[in-house]
Amino acid sequence: MYIRWAQKLRPQLARHVRRTSTHSSSIAMLGSDVPWETAALKEPKRCAGRTATRHRALAAHLPTEPEEPRGEPSFYSEDVDRFACIDQQPVTLQRLLETCQPPLTRQRLLENAQFLCHERPVRYARRVQLLAGLPYIVNLNPHINAVYQAYYANFEEARRFPMVESLADERRFVHMLARQSQSLKHIMPQIARGFFECRRYFGPEPRRRFLDQLVKMRIGLRLLTSQHIALYDQFQAANAAVTAVAAAEDADRYQGIVDNHLRLADMVRVCAQGVQATCEMTYGDAPDFSIDGQLDVAFCYIPSHLDYMLTELLKNAFRASLARAEAAASSSSNSSSVPPVAITVSKSDSRVAIRIRDCGGGIPSHIHDRVFDYAFTTSEHHDSPDGSAPTPADPSAISGLGFGLPMTKIYAEYFGGSLNLISLEGYGCDAFLELPSIKLNRTPEIQI
């Protein structure tokens, strides 16, 4: 580790020596005929004790002028530390909904952009700092390192972006938000593969704490970013005469990315059809599904969050049903039909509930307590001979890496919902997803 640090530091030291001769005696004190890092390899115990002294001496003779840009980010950045020490501004779901109450004015849009100009570098810095605190061997994993570099690049761009003062600035700001969101689209699959490969170096409990924190950070920042992009689009549409009528209709239904009249049964049907099609393409077969209950239910929620949770739960149910049918067919000479998946939807005064029932054999009792652990999977995939993780055909899908259920639980609980599994071993499993309606004035003070 210290050898790599010295190798990165030497070019800066050499440039400084060329600029000034006054420090030559001090620099000579640090040098010798044999490079110190080579000596450290030969006598690690003897040289390790001098590391701190050399570190302080080298730092004392570095130039005070700004550093030249480096090719790749260091795990130790003063800018990251400085921004990470700034307190996050408290943002509640209530305030988020109030921001997008019609009519959406130019002033309110610019104020929200200015808030994000201040807030995004702070949140990115905390995420970079979180990743930098991982064990060194975990940070060496190419997937984890790629995630670190992506977050660091977005942090640098966010902190350097000028304050938004006009609609022209706002246009450039929104373009940056969209570009950065796209660059982080596949971050969680990369994290999943990286931690799957490094699971032997990182215990279950520290892994859970780290990933819970990372996922919550990601949800919060993506929520603020996506909300502002949607508000900008709605502001543009409201000021375009051609789409004035459509914009007025959308303003009644949508508040940024929040759908005030999200039809639950329709969303369930779309997700189930998508998972069914994926199942047929991947396995050559797929179970049928049915939807019953209160089919006219509508509530206020974020469609992209609901889509993610439903897709993950349905993937598990469909995959288990197929595996059960294949096991039954292999044990008898007759072909076995795939049992259908039954979905029930209902609504109370302030919450909705979805039950997804499959006949896929249930969860074995000896692993039931581990299904919400990261990197724990019952998928048919196995490690490759070199210890790498299985790679799903779809890079945006987290399949066979043990991240679907724990992330779905965090999404459900983020706004005060819940996810519970009830298994009948040998028969099937019921997944119960309960979610609150996040209407304005009904929302508790949930921090984003």
Side-chain angles (χ1 to χ4, degrees), residues 5 8 48 56 117 125 165 203 258 278 282 298 327 342 410 422 434 448:
W5 167 80
K8 288 186 177 181
R56 287 192 296 269
C117 277
E165 303 289 353
V258 178
T278 302
T282 305
I410 289 181
I422 297 180
E434 292 190 15
I448 296 175

Side-chain angles (χ1 to χ4, degrees), residues 74-144:
S74 166
F75 283 111
Y76 309 100
S77 167
E78 290 183 0
D79 291 326
V80 169
D81 291 342
R82 179 162 51 87
F83 275 90
C85 289
I86 300 174
D87 291 335
Q88 283 187 193
Q89 294 298 312
V91 184
T92 63
L93 182 57
Q94 185 87 358
R95 176 186 167 183
L96 191 74
L97 296 175
E98 288 173 352
T99 302
C100 47
Q101 286 296 298
L104 179 60
T105 63
R106 173 183 178 276
Q107 182 63 26
R108 202 191 305 170
L109 184 68
L110 294 182
E111 286 176 355
N112 197 58
Q114 290 165 1
F115 163 75
L116 287 180
C117 277
H118 284 293
E119 187 71 5
R120 294 178 77 254
V122 174
R123 297 196 178 214
Y124 271 132
R126 294 193 172 192
R127 213 176 303 183
V128 170
Q129 201 174 61
L130 183 68
L131 284 162
L134 286 171
Y136 186 65
I137 194 169
V138 176
N139 264 318
L140 290 179
N141 179 274
H143 301 297
I144 305 296

Side-chain angles (χ1 to χ4, degrees), residues 26-327:
S26 299
I27 299 299
M29 178 181 67
L30 301 172
S32 66
D33 294 336
V34 180
W36 74 268
E37 63 266 30
T38 304
L41 286 175
K42 294 179 179 179
E43 300 179 279
K45 293 183 179 179
R46 183 178 175 187
C47 294
R50 304 178 200 160
T51 299
T53 303
R54 289 190 170 110
H55 191 164
R56 287 192 296 269
L58 283 170
H61 295 290
L62 286 177
T64 57
E65 59 193 58
E67 292 185 12
E68 297 178 10
R70 289 169 287 186
E72 62 180 42
S74 166
F75 283 111
Y76 309 100
S77 167
E78 290 183 0
D79 291 326
V80 169
D81 291 342
R82 179 162 51 87
F83 275 90
C85 289
I86 300 174
D87 291 335
Q88 283 187 193
Q89 294 298 312
V91 184
T92 63
L93 182 57
Q94 185 87 358
R95 176 186 167 183
L96 191 74
L97 296 175
E98 288 173 352
T99 302
C100 47
Q101 286 296 298
L104 179 60
T105 63
R106 173 183 178 276
Q107 182 63 26
R108 202 191 305 170
L109 184 68
L110 294 182
E111 286 176 355
N112 197 58
Q114 290 165 1
F115 163 75
L116 287 180
C117 277
H118 284 293
E119 187 71 5
R120 294 178 77 254
V122 174
R123 297 196 178 214
Y124 271 132
R126 294 193 172 192
R127 213 176 303 183
V128 170
Q129 201 174 61
L130 183 68
L131 284 162
L134 286 171
Y136 186 65
I137 194 169
V138 176
N139 264 318
L140 290 179
N141 179 274
H143 301 297
I144 305 296
N145 190 260
V147 170
Y148 175 89
Q149 304 237 9
Y151 279 139
Y152 190 94
N154 281 7
F155 161 73
E156 282 292 325
E157 186 178 18
R159 79 177 181 88
R160 295 174 186 275
F161 197 90
M163 184 55 61
V164 175
E165 303 289 353
S166 65
L167 286 179
D169 295 340
E170 165 70 3
R171 190 179 306 110
R172 289 191 293 271
F173 183 63
V174 167
H175 288 165
M176 182 195 70
L177 296 182
R179 184 178 64 256
Q180 289 195 348
S181 294
Q182 184 64 26
S183 72
L184 301 177
K185 183 178 180 181
H186 300 313
I187 284 294
M188 289 317 298
Q190 283 183 294
I191 286 284
R193 293 188 189 102
F195 272 90
F196 189 88
E197 293 172 2
C198 296
R199 62 195 184 280
R200 71 188 69 178
Y201 308 118
F202 209 29
E205 186 56 27
R207 181 170 62 226
R208 182 194 63 77
R209 288 196 302 267
F210 171 86
L211 290 169
D212 280 356
Q213 190 175 356
L214 183 68
V215 172
K216 289 175 183 177
M217 286 179 170
R218 173 179 166 81
I219 293 173
L221 187 56
R222 284 183 67 88
L223 185 60
L224 295 175
T225 301
S226 301
Q227 180 75 347
H228 187 76
I229 293 174
L231 289 178
Y232 175 76
D233 291 340
Q234 290 176 13
F235 177 81
Q236 292 292 91
N239 287 275
V242 178
T243 59
V245 176
E249 294 175 355
D250 282 348
D252 291 336
R253 176 167 179 177
Y254 292 99
Q255 294 175 277
I257 59 173
V258 178
D259 189 341
N260 291 318
H261 304 288
L262 179 57
R263 296 186 61 84
L264 184 56
D266 292 346
M267 175 65 82
V268 169
R269 184 174 294 104
V270 169
C271 291
Q273 289 171 345
V275 172
Q276 189 178 51
T278 302
C279 231
E280 289 175 347
M281 287 188 294
T282 305
Y283 303 108
D285 198 2
D288 290 328
F289 68 90
S290 63
I291 303 174
D292 58 23
Q294 298 172 298
L295 301 182
D296 58 346
V297 165
F299 75 124
C300 181
Y301 209 73
I302 300 172
S304 59
H305 285 201
L306 181 58
D307 176 90
Y308 175 80
M309 291 183 283
L310 288 174
T311 299
E312 287 299 328
L313 295 175
L314 288 166
K315 278 165 52 179
N316 289 340
F318 276 53
R319 200 159 46 222
S321 299
L322 278 173
R324 179 77 166 178
E326 290 176 359

Side-chain angles (χ1 to χ4, degrees), residues 347-413:
K347 182 182 181 182
S348 64
D349 289 341
S350 60
R351 300 172 76 85
V352 299
I354 305 131
R355 182 188 66 190
I356 299 175
R357 169 172 290 176
D358 67 67
C359 299
I363 303 169
S365 57
H366 67 281
I367 65 169
H368 189 276
D369 293 337
R370 299 183 60 194
V371 293
F372 289 112
D373 290 349
Y374 292 98
F376 175 77
T377 177
T378 58
S379 173
E380 293 293 328
H381 299 292
H382 301 284
D383 290 355
S384 61
D386 63 357
S388 62
T391 303
D394 179 5
S396 66
I398 304 174
S399 176
L401 297 174
F403 269 61
L405 278 178
M407 283 186 59
T408 301
K409 188 174 180 66
I410 289 181
Y411 268 88
E413 294 174 350

